[in-house]
Amino acid sequence: MELIKADENGLSSEELEKISERLHGGAVVAIPTETVYGLAADAMNQEAVKKIFEIKGRPSDNPLIVHISNMRMLNNLVSDFSNDAKKLINAFWPGPLTLVLKKNREVPNIVTAGLDSVAVRMPSHKVALSIIECAKLPLAAPSANLSGLPSPTMARHCVDDLGDKVDFIVDGGSCKVGLESTIILMTKKPYKILRTGIITKSQIEGVIGAVETLQKHEEESICSPGIKYRHYSPNAEVVLISGGISEFTTQVNAVLDGSSCAMVFTGEKLDLDCMCLEYGGQFNSAELAHNLFAVLRKVDELGFKRVFVRAPSPHCAVYDRLTRAAGRESFGENKRIKRTTVF
Ligand code: TXA
Ligand code: MG
């Protein structure tokens, strides 16, 4: 594996040419995007895409997002798209919004896990755009973590997870957003948000009117196969606790031991006898998103077996990721952590 570091001007033309040549030869490359790092390969090359699944240990029924750098590429991937899709593209691309649209026959089935739709997004990270533009290839790319682990938001996370399994890791610094893109299914009405992200339901509704959110009981359906898998979890057990500071300290102190730490909001002084890792201001959802995955990974790096997390507002995407990391169970005023649940 070769680590290539982008500077403030991005990559040099020699570096871009080198990466492009290898992508054309079927290589798999970890690239920075504004959301999280992606594990990218030529979307039209089945063998290259197969390698992505193998490297990640990703189930083959979990389809990939295809990353593009211009509208011509979109037209080569989808059979048609509605006026509403055009409106969302104008409003949010390039950026952290993925549209699921009807695919055309050119897109290999391995990319879409056999579905008749394809998920597409145009990232805004200039390094990602320059790689796609130079290679002139649409790039299939899931998040560049091993399946199940928190998504990587720094090149170092990709090195930890992937090491020599990839040809290149491109270091574009820490990802600005820090959470994966919002995904909206647009193949039929009512449109459905399949995954929340930094672009919110109300921002989308401001552009195309009312949309629905995927309900829990629908998650197992073919709608978005990837959603059903356990996600974003560090090796440590994540215990999510809603409510105020006193609720949190009472619950944690009742079960605390030496192998646990806490994830708290910036500036909080908690009466706890354990390490407290700050992950952002309580009401600053952008900051919480930016730091979430890096701090979850830090819990493992420091060797903790369990992390107690102060839950943010249930309306933000960070809360959604935390409930998945915690295996959906969360605690609070009406639910006490039992000793047996945490040991
Ligand atoms: O921000 C992001 O979206 C990052 C960066 C690298 O772009 N990518 C990412 O990819 O998070 P991944 O593979 O970790 O998540 C993609 C999700 C999966 O849950 C998958 O099931 C869903 O997108 N998906 C892909 N194609 C789909 C389709 N045709 N229909 C429904 N869901 C789809
Ligand atoms: Mg992922």
Side-chain angles (χ1 to χ4, degrees):
M1 180 271 292
E2 187 183 341
L3 186 67
I4 300 180
K5 201 167 162 38
D7 61 21
E8 62 275 17
N9 298 315
L11 297 170
S12 68
S13 47
E14 292 77 36
E15 288 166 330
L16 284 170
E17 288 298 338
K18 185 160 82 173
I19 295 168
S20 162
E21 201 178 300
R22 297 287 282 278
L23 283 169
H24 278 272
V28 177
V29 180
I31 62 167
T33 83
E34 74 281 17
T35 56
V36 300
Y37 277 75
L39 188 56
D42 174 3
M44 298 305 184
N45 178 337
Q46 300 196 41
E47 287 308 311
V49 174
K50 194 163 154 232
K51 281 196 239 163
I52 296 179
F53 283 91
E54 286 165 4
I55 292 170
K56 267 191 75 111
R58 181 177 177 106
S60 60
D61 66 349
N62 191 357
L64 307 179
I65 296 174
V66 179
H67 297 69
I68 59 170
S69 60
N70 59 55
M71 292 302 285
R72 201 166 9 89
M73 285 184 176
L74 180 66
N75 290 321
N76 291 336
L77 296 168
V78 304
S79 53
D80 74 307
F81 54 91
S82 63
N83 222 12
D84 289 330
K86 260 184 224 144
K87 287 186 192 164
L88 289 180
I89 288 169
N90 288 336
F92 299 111
W93 278 9
L97 180 69
T98 296
L99 305 184
V100 177
L101 302 166
K102 282 218 173 67
K103 86 173 189 83
N104 70 18
R105 262 182 293 158
E106 315 298 313
V107 183
N109 280 331
I110 187 170
V111 173
T112 62
L115 296 175
D116 57 8
S117 59
V118 60
V120 189
R121 104 176 173 92
M122 190 188 290
S124 64
H125 198 294
K126 73 173 178 202
V127 173
L129 282 175
S130 67
I131 292 171
I132 303 168
E133 202 58 37
C134 178
K136 299 196 170 31
L137 292 174
L139 297 181
S143 49
N145 51 295
L146 294 178
S147 245
L149 289 182
S151 296
T153 56
M154 298 179 193
R156 182 168 60 79
H157 301 155
C158 301
V159 176
D160 289 347
D161 279 20
L162 309 170
D164 280 331
K165 292 182 190 160
V166 291
D167 295 76
F168 297 110
I169 293 177
V170 180
D171 184 351
S174 139
C175 301
K176 202 165 147 221
V177 174
L179 281 191
E180 306 83 352
S181 59
T182 305
I183 303 179
I184 181 162
L185 179 64
M186 303 207 72
T187 50
K188 59 173 190 289
K189 279 188 167 179
Y191 306 133
K192 251 182 218 287
I193 294 179
L194 302 180
R195 181 172 72 187
T196 57
I198 207 81
I199 293 178
T200 61
K201 181 169 184 271
S202 62
Q203 280 176 288
I204 289 173
E205 290 182 331
V207 178
I208 56 168
V211 299
E212 292 186 355
T213 307
L214 190 70
Q215 298 302 305
K216 294 229 161 28
H217 68 268
E218 296 174 299
E219 290 190 356
E220 293 282 324
S221 76
I222 50 146
C223 231
S224 193
I227 305 289
K228 70 182 181 223
Y229 293 106
R230 184 166 172 265
H231 270 90
Y232 320 114
S233 316
N235 292 317
E237 182 186 8
V238 175
V239 182
L240 186 61
I241 306 175
S242 303
I245 289 183
S246 65
E247 178 72 41
F248 188 83
T249 45
T250 310
Q251 291 232 31
V252 174
N253 274 327
V255 293
L256 193 59
D257 69 4
S259 63
S260 307
C261 67
M263 257 169 76
V264 304
F265 301 125
T266 304
E268 287 187 324
K269 298 270 173 295
L270 300 187
D271 190 14
L272 283 180
D273 192 16
C274 69
M275 185 181 282
C276 290
L277 302 166
E278 296 184 338
Y279 75 114
Q282 181 166 11
F283 303 106
N284 188 340
S285 52
E287 190 180 27
L288 293 169
H290 178 75
N291 294 328
L292 177 72
F293 290 139
V295 177
L296 284 176
R297 280 178 176 261
K298 182 137 204 181
V299 170
D300 280 347
E301 285 158 24
L302 294 171
F304 290 108
K305 297 282 176 278
R306 191 184 322 130
V307 56
F308 298 103
V309 185
R310 289 265 283 131
S313 154
H315 306 296
C316 67
V318 171
Y319 183 83
D320 163 76
R321 300 305 193 274
L322 280 166
T323 55
R324 291 173 197 280
R328 298 213 164 281
E329 191 160 29
S330 56
F331 300 89
E333 243 177 287
N334 300 318
K335 198 161 177 207
R336 304 259 135 223
I337 308 168
K338 292 192 217 88
R339 272 190 178 274
T340 48
T341 36
V342 288
F343 290 101

